[in-house]
Amino acid sequence: MDVKYKVSFGIFGQMGIANAHLETKGNTYMIDIGMKATGIAKALSHNRKERHISKGHILKGMYISDSYKVIKTYGKKYIEKTYHIDHRKKRVTKEYLKKKNGKITAEEHTVLDFYSRNDLLTLYFNLPKMIRDKSKAGIYTLSAVGAERQKGLVKIKIPASKEINVYKKTLGKGDFWYITAIIYQKIFSSNKGELMLAIEKDGIAQKAVLKDLIMFGDLVAERIK
């Protein structure tokens, strides 16, 4: 399965493109998502590119992550984070590598203080099976490798019926499952950012809006393929 998104940001218009690829073979899977800046963002970010790769196995219809890799490049800099998940020992190790001009400037090997069968990519695809009652409003606390800044915790909000009109106005009307993922990062103007999602019946997001960004408005990703 291949999906493509355009990404725009407030007054700046289109800022990037994201391509997502999901492939299964027998009881194994690979998710590969690549993002790159375009237009003025490409120049300002020194041709920033980012790639997330999740590999693992499928158990009872769920994607179980065995490894998760994040690669970021911009200008002459290269950053790579690789997570290895040992399900038998319930342990996650992280390898960090940083290069500049092709030379290694930093290396780290650590063991995370939490364990999860999900990484940030598999969590998204597993959500429909993890939250059975999609209409039950509330906040669900889940865990994912790659979210160590919030100690592995990811919060998913299912809106109450009285809030649905806000989602329809922001994301568009349709036969969607509306949810919000709450993310804690420094780029947000408050202590949390809210990623609103309109998810199609096939489990793929049609549109996502990242609220609460500093100064420039909302970051919007919209499916174009």
Side-chain angles (χ1 to χ4, degrees), residues 112-116 118 120 123 141-155:
L112 301 188
D113 58 2
F114 69 90
Y115 159 81
S116 178
N118 280 303
L120 288 172
L123 179 64
T141 301
L142 307 170
S143 65
V145 171
E148 63 265 28
R149 286 189 179 181
Q150 52 250 41
K151 298 182 179 179
L153 299 179
V154 177
K155 292 184 177 181

mmCIF file of all heavy atoms in Angstrom, residues 112-116 118 120 123 141-155:
data_model
loop_
_atom_site.group_PDB
_atom_site.id
_atom_site.type_symbol
_atom_site.label_atom_id
_atom_site.label_comp_id
_atom_site.label_asym_id
_atom_site.label_seq_id
_atom_site.Cartn_x
_atom_site.Cartn_y
_atom_site.Cartn_z
ATOM 1 N N LEU A 112 16.398 1.883 27.057
ATOM 2 C CA LEU A 112 15.289 2.726 27.471
ATOM 3 C C LEU A 112 14.679 2.209 28.776
ATOM 4 O O LEU A 112 14.775 1.015 29.088
ATOM 5 C CB LEU A 112 14.217 2.767 26.385
ATOM 6 C CG LEU A 112 14.640 3.286 25.007
ATOM 7 C CD1 LEU A 112 13.415 3.453 24.109
ATOM 8 C CD2 LEU A 112 15.383 4.608 25.105
ATOM 9 N N ASP A 113 14.057 3.112 29.509
ATOM 10 C CA ASP A 113 13.458 2.727 30.789
ATOM 11 C C ASP A 113 12.001 2.306 30.646
ATOM 12 O O ASP A 113 11.244 2.303 31.619
ATOM 13 C CB ASP A 113 13.592 3.857 31.812
ATOM 14 C CG ASP A 113 12.958 5.156 31.345
ATOM 15 O OD1 ASP A 113 12.384 5.156 30.225
ATOM 16 O OD2 ASP A 113 13.043 6.155 32.070
ATOM 17 N N PHE A 114 11.601 1.951 29.424
ATOM 18 C CA PHE A 114 10.265 1.411 29.211
ATOM 19 C C PHE A 114 10.308 0.438 28.040
ATOM 20 O O PHE A 114 11.238 0.430 27.238
ATOM 21 C CB PHE A 114 9.243 2.523 28.946
ATOM 22 C CG PHE A 114 9.426 3.221 27.617
ATOM 23 C CD1 PHE A 114 8.790 2.770 26.465
ATOM 24 C CD2 PHE A 114 10.257 4.323 27.510
ATOM 25 C CE1 PHE A 114 8.969 3.400 25.244
ATOM 26 C CE2 PHE A 114 10.445 4.965 26.287
ATOM 27 C CZ PHE A 114 9.800 4.501 25.156
ATOM 28 N N TYR A 115 9.267 -0.389 27.953
ATOM 29 C CA TYR A 115 9.149 -1.373 26.882
ATOM 30 C C TYR A 115 7.766 -1.255 26.250
ATOM 31 O O TYR A 115 6.776 -0.965 26.930
ATOM 32 C CB TYR A 115 9.338 -2.791 27.441
ATOM 33 C CG TYR A 115 8.757 -3.887 26.570
ATOM 34 C CD1 TYR A 115 9.443 -4.357 25.467
ATOM 35 C CD2 TYR A 115 7.500 -4.433 26.862
ATOM 36 C CE1 TYR A 115 8.895 -5.364 24.650
ATOM 37 C CE2 TYR A 115 6.955 -5.433 26.063
ATOM 38 C CZ TYR A 115 7.664 -5.895 24.966
ATOM 39 O OH TYR A 115 7.129 -6.878 24.163
ATOM 40 N N SER A 116 7.701 -1.451 24.944
ATOM 41 C CA SER A 116 6.412 -1.491 24.257
ATOM 42 C C SER A 116 6.517 -2.397 23.043
ATOM 43 O O SER A 116 7.588 -2.509 22.433
ATOM 44 C CB SER A 116 5.992 -0.080 23.813
ATOM 45 O OG SER A 116 4.758 -0.138 23.104
ATOM 46 N N ASN A 118 4.792 -1.696 20.487
ATOM 47 C CA ASN A 118 4.547 -0.750 19.405
ATOM 48 C C ASN A 118 5.662 0.273 19.282
ATOM 49 O O ASN A 118 6.260 0.665 20.289
ATOM 50 C CB ASN A 118 3.245 0.021 19.658
ATOM 51 C CG ASN A 118 2.013 -0.761 19.270
ATOM 52 O OD1 ASN A 118 1.864 -1.189 18.137
ATOM 53 N ND2 ASN A 118 1.125 -0.963 20.229
ATOM 54 N N LEU A 120 6.070 4.191 17.036
ATOM 55 C CA LEU A 120 5.121 5.241 16.665
ATOM 56 C C LEU A 120 4.348 4.915 15.392
ATOM 57 O O LEU A 120 3.210 5.366 15.219
ATOM 58 C CB LEU A 120 5.863 6.568 16.496
ATOM 59 C CG LEU A 120 6.348 7.210 17.799
ATOM 60 C CD1 LEU A 120 7.243 8.402 17.501
ATOM 61 C CD2 LEU A 120 5.172 7.634 18.668
ATOM 62 N N LEU A 123 1.813 1.801 16.200
ATOM 63 C CA LEU A 123 0.734 2.263 17.069
ATOM 64 C C LEU A 123 -0.410 2.822 16.235
ATOM 65 O O LEU A 123 -1.588 2.549 16.496
ATOM 66 C CB LEU A 123 1.249 3.319 18.041
ATOM 67 C CG LEU A 123 0.203 3.906 18.998
ATOM 68 C CD1 LEU A 123 -0.328 2.827 19.935
ATOM 69 C CD2 LEU A 123 0.786 5.064 19.790
ATOM 70 N N THR A 141 -4.419 6.189 27.229
ATOM 71 C CA THR A 141 -2.965 6.310 27.352
ATOM 72 C C THR A 141 -2.319 5.023 26.865
ATOM 73 O O THR A 141 -2.560 3.945 27.418
ATOM 74 C CB THR A 141 -2.555 6.594 28.808
ATOM 75 O OG1 THR A 141 -3.171 7.818 29.238
ATOM 76 C CG2 THR A 141 -1.037 6.757 28.909
ATOM 77 N N LEU A 142 -1.509 5.140 25.822
ATOM 78 C CA LEU A 142 -0.844 4.000 25.203
ATOM 79 C C LEU A 142 0.660 4.236 25.221
ATOM 80 O O LEU A 142 1.135 5.308 25.601
ATOM 81 C CB LEU A 142 -1.354 3.821 23.769
ATOM 82 C CG LEU A 142 -2.883 3.730 23.624
ATOM 83 C CD1 LEU A 142 -3.279 3.801 22.163
ATOM 84 C CD2 LEU A 142 -3.421 2.468 24.260
ATOM 85 N N SER A 143 1.422 3.240 24.791
ATOM 86 C CA SER A 143 2.878 3.395 24.793
ATOM 87 C C SER A 143 3.445 3.075 23.414
ATOM 88 O O SER A 143 2.864 2.289 22.654
ATOM 89 C CB SER A 143 3.524 2.479 25.838
ATOM 90 O OG SER A 143 3.330 1.112 25.499
ATOM 91 N N ALA A 144 4.579 3.701 23.107
ATOM 92 C CA ALA A 144 5.218 3.476 21.804
ATOM 93 C C ALA A 144 6.702 3.807 21.884
ATOM 94 O O ALA A 144 7.097 4.829 22.466
ATOM 95 C CB ALA A 144 4.559 4.324 20.724
ATOM 96 N N VAL A 145 7.509 2.939 21.296
ATOM 97 C CA VAL A 145 8.945 3.202 21.153
ATOM 98 C C VAL A 145 9.114 4.369 20.179
ATOM 99 O O VAL A 145 8.445 4.429 19.145
ATOM 100 C CB VAL A 145 9.662 1.947 20.628
ATOM 101 C CG1 VAL A 145 11.108 2.253 20.265
ATOM 102 C CG2 VAL A 145 9.585 0.832 21.656
ATOM 103 N N GLY A 146 9.994 5.294 20.521
ATOM 104 C CA GLY A 146 10.192 6.490 19.713
ATOM 105 C C GLY A 146 9.610 7.715 20.380
ATOM 106 O O GLY A 146 9.846 8.837 19.938
ATOM 107 N N ALA A 147 8.854 7.497 21.464
ATOM 108 C CA ALA A 147 8.222 8.604 22.188
ATOM 109 C C ALA A 147 8.864 8.773 23.563
ATOM 110 O O ALA A 147 8.186 9.063 24.538
ATOM 111 C CB ALA A 147 6.729 8.367 22.330
ATOM 112 N N GLU A 148 10.184 8.610 23.622
ATOM 113 C CA GLU A 148 10.829 8.642 24.935
ATOM 114 C C GLU A 148 10.815 10.017 25.588
ATOM 115 O O GLU A 148 10.990 10.132 26.803
ATOM 116 C CB GLU A 148 12.256 8.091 24.873
ATOM 117 C CG GLU A 148 13.234 8.864 24.018
ATOM 118 C CD GLU A 148 13.334 8.297 22.611
ATOM 119 O OE1 GLU A 148 12.348 7.714 22.123
ATOM 120 O OE2 GLU A 148 14.398 8.442 22.012
ATOM 121 N N ARG A 149 10.621 11.079 24.797
ATOM 122 C CA ARG A 149 10.528 12.409 25.408
ATOM 123 C C ARG A 149 9.346 12.502 26.357
ATOM 124 O O ARG A 149 9.351 13.300 27.281
ATOM 125 C CB ARG A 149 10.421 13.484 24.322
ATOM 126 C CG ARG A 149 11.726 13.732 23.592
ATOM 127 C CD ARG A 149 11.624 14.938 22.692
ATOM 128 N NE ARG A 149 12.871 15.190 22.001
ATOM 129 C CZ ARG A 149 13.059 16.205 21.162
ATOM 130 N NH1 ARG A 149 12.076 17.058 20.937
ATOM 131 N NH2 ARG A 149 14.220 16.366 20.558
ATOM 132 N N GLN A 150 8.312 11.710 26.094
ATOM 133 C CA GLN A 150 7.185 11.656 27.021
ATOM 134 C C GLN A 150 7.138 10.298 27.714
ATOM 135 O O GLN A 150 6.082 9.782 28.057
ATOM 136 C CB GLN A 150 5.867 11.943 26.308
ATOM 137 C CG GLN A 150 5.604 11.117 25.086
ATOM 138 C CD GLN A 150 5.675 11.924 23.803
ATOM 139 O OE1 GLN A 150 6.531 12.775 23.617
ATOM 140 N NE2 GLN A 150 4.735 11.670 22.915
ATOM 141 N N LYS A 151 8.352 9.719 27.912
ATOM 142 C CA LYS A 151 8.530 8.454 28.636
ATOM 143 C C LYS A 151 7.726 7.320 28.014
ATOM 144 O O LYS A 151 7.207 6.436 28.703
ATOM 145 C CB LYS A 151 8.172 8.630 30.115
ATOM 146 C CG LYS A 151 9.069 9.639 30.829
ATOM 147 C CD LYS A 151 8.746 9.768 32.297
ATOM 148 C CE LYS A 151 9.680 10.771 32.947
ATOM 149 N NZ LYS A 151 9.378 10.949 34.404
ATOM 150 N N GLY A 152 7.638 7.376 26.684
ATOM 151 C CA GLY A 152 6.982 6.305 25.943
ATOM 152 C C GLY A 152 5.472 6.391 25.873
ATOM 153 O O GLY A 152 4.841 5.564 25.229
ATOM 154 N N LEU A 153 4.891 7.399 26.507
ATOM 155 C CA LEU A 153 3.437 7.481 26.573
ATOM 156 C C LEU A 153 2.862 8.354 25.461
ATOM 157 O O LEU A 153 3.383 9.420 25.169
ATOM 158 C CB LEU A 153 2.997 8.024 27.932
ATOM 159 C CG LEU A 153 3.410 7.195 29.151
ATOM 160 C CD1 LEU A 153 2.925 7.858 30.429
ATOM 161 C CD2 LEU A 153 2.873 5.767 29.047
ATOM 162 N N VAL A 154 1.799 7.888 24.848
ATOM 163 C CA VAL A 154 1.066 8.628 23.832
ATOM 164 C C VAL A 154 -0.403 8.635 24.238
ATOM 165 O O VAL A 154 -0.963 7.582 24.552
ATOM 166 C CB VAL A 154 1.223 7.992 22.439
ATOM 167 C CG1 VAL A 154 0.394 8.750 21.413
ATOM 168 C CG2 VAL A 154 2.681 7.959 22.020
ATOM 169 N N LYS A 155 -1.011 9.806 24.244
ATOM 170 C CA LYS A 155 -2.414 9.898 24.619
ATOM 171 C C LYS A 155 -3.285 10.092 23.380
ATOM 172 O O LYS A 155 -2.981 10.943 22.542
ATOM 173 C CB LYS A 155 -2.636 11.037 25.610
ATOM 174 C CG LYS A 155 -2.009 10.774 26.974
ATOM 175 C CD LYS A 155 -2.338 11.874 27.969
ATOM 176 C CE LYS A 155 -1.750 11.547 29.335
ATOM 177 N NZ LYS A 155 -2.063 12.597 30.339
#
